[in-house]
Amino acid sequence: MGNKLDIQHEYEEAEKKASELKDVCEKINNSARGRHLLEEYEKKYKEAEAEAEKEQLGIILDAIQAAED
């Protein structure tokens, strides 16, 4: 029974943290500054993601080229 009680307690703590995080996210979304920061973050994230994809494709192309030589 101890395990069940431990898991129940951990579950309740996780629910509490998730609720707090949701509240914080709502507050950020409801402020102009918060929305601006989120938009900038998303922009930078997408740029970094595109750059990483470009680098991976470059490595693949180099490997294909080396295999053809």
Side-chain angles (χ1 to χ4, degrees):
M1 242 358 199
N3 276 344
K4 182 179 178 183
L5 293 176
D6 291 340
I7 292 170
Q8 180 68 32
H9 177 72
E10 287 179 30
Y11 178 81
E12 290 168 358
E13 289 295 315
E15 275 189 325
K16 182 179 173 183
K17 287 179 183 179
S19 177
E20 290 171 358
L21 181 57
K22 182 179 177 185
D23 290 343
V24 169
C25 289
E26 286 178 11
K27 288 177 184 176
I28 289 172
N29 282 327
N30 291 332
S31 72
R33 179 73 176 144
R35 279 191 306 276
H36 172 71
L37 291 172
L38 287 173
E39 289 168 3
E40 286 299 311
Y41 170 80
E42 288 176 10
K43 179 181 167 187
K44 296 290 183 186
Y45 179 80
K46 287 179 183 178
E47 289 172 359
E49 205 172 44
E51 184 64 31
E53 184 178 357
K54 180 182 141 199
E55 288 179 20
Q56 288 176 337
L57 291 172
I59 291 169
I60 292 169
L61 287 174
D62 289 344
I64 291 170
Q65 186 65 36
E68 289 176 347
D69 290 344

